[in-house]
Amino acid sequence: MRRNTSQRPEVLIEQAMVAIRRRQSRKALARQAEREHALPVSIAVTEVLDIVEHNGDSGRPTTVTDLGRFLGIDQPRASKLAGQAITAGLLRRAADQHDGRRSPLQLTAAGRAYLDQVHRYRRTQFASAMSGWTDQERQTFAQLLTRFVAALDQPGTGQSAT
């Protein structure tokens, strides 16, 4: 990561966020997990499962159209990814009780078990990155990062520039 001599927090945070974005766009953590664990599905399918899990935990159903919107891909590609997850036994289509035309996606037991494995791996990597930190530093970082991400999602934070 390029270092700016300025110690202004906004500059340092911007540099860190750019480095994180680059790492995420390379999908470095996911590719490392694929190499180390020979994951049964692609990184893209794992992203689909993450979305379905997050929305389900928030009480919101996820359709193929929702996947496309969250992933920034077209509906045919979203449908293909959902199909791969269904074929792998990680997702299933459910009936929408209010709209028969909609088919929300739900995690299967195998999908939940797979995501549990993914979560354990990610958390191990994050813990490793924080090795040497005190418990208080870890707690403070978690609280501030969570608060920061939530604030970025609030109206008026200008998400259009990336």
Side-chain angles (χ1 to χ4, degrees):
M1 175 170 52
R2 178 178 57 90
R3 295 282 177 203
N4 186 309
T5 56
S6 169
Q7 293 298 309
R8 288 189 8 238
E10 298 80 10
V11 172
L12 297 172
I13 291 167
E14 177 196 15
Q15 291 172 348
M17 294 299 290
V18 168
I20 289 170
R21 186 186 68 209
R22 286 186 184 135
R23 184 170 168 70
Q24 289 297 101
S25 67
R26 290 191 318 262
K27 299 184 182 347
L29 185 61
R31 291 190 199 290
Q32 184 178 346
E34 277 186 333
R35 284 191 304 276
E36 291 181 18
H37 297 287
L39 298 178
V41 294
S42 71
I43 296 166
V45 170
T46 301
E47 288 180 280
V48 165
L49 299 176
D50 279 333
I51 292 166
V52 172
E53 177 185 50
H54 173 76
N55 286 348
D57 289 349
S58 300
R60 295 184 313 258
T62 305
T63 64
V64 169
T65 302
D66 297 328
L67 289 178
R69 189 175 63 255
F70 281 107
L71 293 171
I73 58 177
D74 60 23
Q75 200 275 341
R77 174 77 176 133
S79 183
K80 181 178 179 182
L81 291 172
Q84 290 172 358
I86 291 167
T87 299
L90 304 172
L91 284 181
R92 69 174 166 266
R93 292 187 190 275
D96 187 316
Q97 301 301 318
H98 305 289
D99 185 346
R101 299 168 294 176
R102 292 174 41 106
S103 297
L105 301 167
Q106 295 179 338
L107 290 170
T108 63
R112 288 203 180 281
Y114 171 74
L115 279 179
D116 286 345
Q117 175 188 354
V118 169
H119 293 314
R120 276 192 304 277
Y121 178 77
R122 289 175 185 159
R123 290 168 186 165
T124 298
Q125 295 302 306
F126 299 149
S128 177
M130 293 184 291
S131 67
W133 294 22
T134 66
D135 288 342
Q136 182 61 47
E137 288 170 326
R138 289 175 187 229
Q139 188 65 38
T140 299
F141 178 70
Q143 290 170 343
L144 291 174
L145 182 60
T146 301
R147 192 167 127 199
F148 177 76
V149 170
L152 286 175
D153 287 337
Q154 296 303 311
T157 56
Q159 293 188 21
S160 60
T162 54

